[in-house]
Amino acid sequence: MSRRRPFGSVRAKATLGATLVVAVALVAAGIAVLLALRSNLGGQADAEADAAARRVASQIAAGTPYAELELPDAEDHPVQVVDRDGRLLAVSEDLEAISGTGVPGVAPAPSPGTDRDDADDTDDPEAGSVGETTWHGEGRATVDGQDATYRFSQVEATDPRDETVLVYAGASLAGRQSTVGTAAVAMMTGLPLLLGVVAVVTWLVTRRALRPVEDIRREMAAINASADLSRRVPEPVSGDEVARLARTTNETLTALEASVERQRRFVADASHELRSPIASLRTQLEVAAAHPDLLDLPGAVEDTVRLQHLAADLLLLARLDAGERPGDGRVDLAELVAGEVAQRTGDRIRVRVEAGAGAGGDADAGAVVSGSRQQLARVIGNLLDNAQRHADTRITATVSVTDGGVLVRVDDDGPGVPEAERDRVFERFVRLDDARTRDDGGAGLGLAIARDVARRHGGDLTVGQAPGGGARFTLRLPPADLRSSRG
């Protein structure tokens, strides 16, 4: 028994795969949400800082003295006002230190890469007016001993005396940091729970979906153990891929059961057919051993020949059942039929060979097929043997070429084959009522072999009624070029 590996089952692999995919998607989505939230809250802080700076700048533009400016609470919006030279003109109460605004003395100069505009490169606003916001940045401020991070905004203002100053106002980022931190904690807490739910749901759904597969496997194991090919696997009513798998499995079991049953009948019939000539031959030999003058030598030879023919038929059927390929040789059926008829000098009825004209071909011109010459000769021989057993006075063999392929027709003027028996006559070891004797009717393998060989060559063999009465056996094979192109 093979050792079960971790995550070796389809259910475990599906659960692991689904959980990993959801985990990656949630982590990516969480990072995107946190970045978007951080950016949005940063934009709100910029707007708050800008508003605070403009309120102070409006007072300056209105001529309010620096000592009388109404400055917002330093903890929420720290403010400092400086002139062009960086001298401090006004500052929020309790503001002890500030960094990041670039004001010399009170704060360090701006670091390289800051997005602050150079004040010398901008036009000063008109006297008594407030200019545009020229810079946003992030820094730190110490208010009443508490250090925190802020977003700062710089606004230019010109008082009525036409002196331009810079107003710096900040907005606390504590709310943003708290919100982003809370969201991150919530995501980190919820992520394992959500992944656990996904894993459990995927496990249960996959188990439910694969339950019919396990039922099929269990039933197949029982069939293998019991060797009872009549059993069938359960077919789900869902109509999905598993149901189609079960249906195909049952069709395979049906075909396998039919094949095994056919093989059993074949072995039983072959044993039965072999037993009679062997018993007859043994009896003759035993009689000859006791009474040499009573030896029926012709009968012994006849039984031996029958055994030889039967053994050859059985071996050919075994090769056909094993999937023996007919080969790719080119065989002229008109020549083959003529040769087979010419060598049958001992037949009781002379076979007449005719050339038939068919649609798309004249007479027997181009009656070339691809396959095994030996096997096709066996087919022609079996058809002629069958006609010799049943014909009264006339047997005709016709070769013609049509659009559908090369046709070989063997007609006789015997009793014919009843329509109800025209399929059964090609079964193995089947002899119709008027040919049941083994001496006259053979073993019942000739027509079965002929049809098997025809189908192995891509054609077919059928039986119908001849125009003048009797039976007509029609062998249809594809032309050599068509069969090779299909192969």
Side-chain angles (χ1 to χ4, degrees):
M1 180 181 293
S2 60
R3 210 171 85 186
R4 183 170 293 183
R5 297 174 300 172
F7 300 104
S9 66
V10 174
R11 185 174 16 170
K13 291 178 181 178
T15 301
L16 179 61
T19 304
L20 289 177
V21 170
V22 173
V24 172
L26 289 179
V27 169
I31 293 175
V33 168
L34 292 177
L35 292 177
L37 180 62
R38 179 184 177 89
S39 176
N40 185 43
L41 294 177
Q44 293 180 7
D46 286 343
E48 291 180 11
D50 194 29
R54 286 188 173 280
R55 286 195 298 270
V56 176
S58 297
Q59 297 179 53
I60 296 173
T64 303
Y66 297 116
E68 300 177 5
L69 292 175
E70 294 183 5
L71 302 180
D73 182 61
E75 186 175 352
D76 296 329
H77 302 290
V79 175
Q80 62 177 181
V81 181
V82 298
D83 61 12
R84 288 290 191 182
D85 296 329
R87 292 190 297 268
L88 187 63
L89 302 178
V91 67
S92 296
E93 187 177 359
D94 297 329
L95 179 60
E96 300 174 358
I98 190 170
S99 63
T101 61
V103 179
V106 180
S111 59
T114 181
D115 55 352
R116 174 179 178 175
D117 295 337
D118 192 342
D120 295 336
D121 295 336
T122 60
D123 295 333
D124 295 336
E126 297 179 358
S129 64
V130 178
E132 298 292 333
T133 301
T134 58
W135 174 75
H136 285 109
E138 188 171 320
R140 303 187 65 83
T142 303
V143 179
D144 197 16
Q146 299 294 325
D147 185 64
T149 304
Y150 293 85
R151 286 291 294 179
F152 289 102
S153 175
Q154 173 189 286
V155 176
E156 293 183 348
T158 303
D159 59 17
R161 294 174 297 175
D162 202 22
E163 292 184 0
T164 300
V165 297
L166 303 177
V167 180
Y168 293 94
S172 176
L173 292 178
R176 183 186 75 172
Q177 295 172 342
S178 176
T179 302
V180 173
T182 301
V185 171
M187 290 181 180
M188 294 300 295
T189 303
L191 180 62
L193 297 178
L194 185 57
L195 291 179
V197 172
V198 170
V200 171
V201 171
T202 304
W203 180 269
L204 295 177
V205 171
T206 307
R207 182 177 66 178
R208 181 178 181 85
L210 294 179
R211 185 176 301 162
V213 178
E214 176 61 21
D215 294 340
I216 294 173
R217 186 207 64 79
R218 189 180 299 111
E219 184 64 24
M220 289 298 294
I223 293 173
N224 290 335
S226 63
D228 183 7
L229 295 178
S230 63
R231 300 175 62 170
R232 296 294 180 266
V233 301
E235 295 187 18
V237 297
S238 57
D240 56 8
E241 292 84 352
V242 178
R244 292 196 292 272
L245 171 63
R247 192 176 306 114
T248 303
T249 302
N250 284 334
E251 292 172 356
T252 303
L253 288 173
T254 301
L256 183 59
E257 181 185 16
S259 176
V260 171
E261 183 61 28
R262 186 168 58 250
Q263 191 69 21
R264 288 173 179 170
R265 289 199 308 268
F266 175 78
V267 172
D269 292 340
S271 301
H272 181 72
E273 294 293 336
L274 287 171
R275 185 163 53 245
S276 295
I278 291 176
S280 175
L281 183 60
R282 178 179 177 179
T283 300
Q284 294 180 55
L285 293 176
E286 289 176 347
V287 170
H291 307 282
D293 54 324
L294 299 179
L295 174 62
D296 183 10
L297 186 57
V301 172
E302 182 179 352
D303 285 340
T304 304
V305 171
R306 286 182 54 210
L307 278 174
Q308 184 180 10
H309 289 169
L310 182 57
D313 289 344
L314 294 176
L315 288 174
L316 178 56
L317 284 174
R319 292 199 304 268
L320 293 176
D321 289 341
E324 181 181 85
R325 296 178 61 86
D328 296 324
R330 298 175 68 86
V331 181
D332 188 333
L333 285 184
E335 177 186 343
L336 182 63
V337 171
E340 284 295 315
V341 171
Q343 69 181 9
R344 301 174 68 92
T345 57
D347 288 346
R348 65 183 183 90
I349 300 176
R350 182 176 176 274
V351 179
R352 184 172 59 181
V353 179
E354 296 181 352
D362 295 332
D364 59 357
V368 178
V369 298
S370 178
S372 169
R373 184 180 185 87
Q374 182 180 3
Q375 292 184 9
L376 292 177
R378 185 67 174 276
V379 173
I380 302 300
N382 287 355
L383 294 180
L384 295 177
D385 288 341
N386 181 75
Q388 290 288 342
R389 283 194 296 267
H390 298 88
D392 291 333
T393 59
R394 186 179 70 254
I395 300 176
T396 304
T398 306
V399 181
S400 60
V401 180
T402 67
D403 291 337
V406 182
L407 302 182
V408 177
R409 296 186 180 95
V410 177
D411 299 343
D412 64 67
D413 60 350
V417 180
E419 188 173 356
E421 303 288 346
R422 289 177 182 175
D423 286 332
R424 200 171 71 90
V425 75
F426 292 106
E427 296 180 6
R428 298 176 182 182
F429 299 104
V430 169
R431 290 181 294 270
L432 301 185
D433 292 339
D434 60 351
R436 289 299 296 177
T437 61
R438 292 182 176 84
D439 293 337
D440 297 330
L445 292 177
L447 294 180
I449 292 175
R451 172 175 273 190
D452 284 352
V453 171
R455 290 181 173 176
R456 292 285 180 180
H457 284 73
D460 202 359
L461 177 63
T462 58
V463 61
Q465 185 175 2
R472 164 175 283 185
F473 285 85
T474 302
L475 171 65
R476 183 186 301 271
L477 295 174
D481 295 338
L482 178 60
R483 184 171 183 271
S484 60
S485 63
R486 285 180 180 175

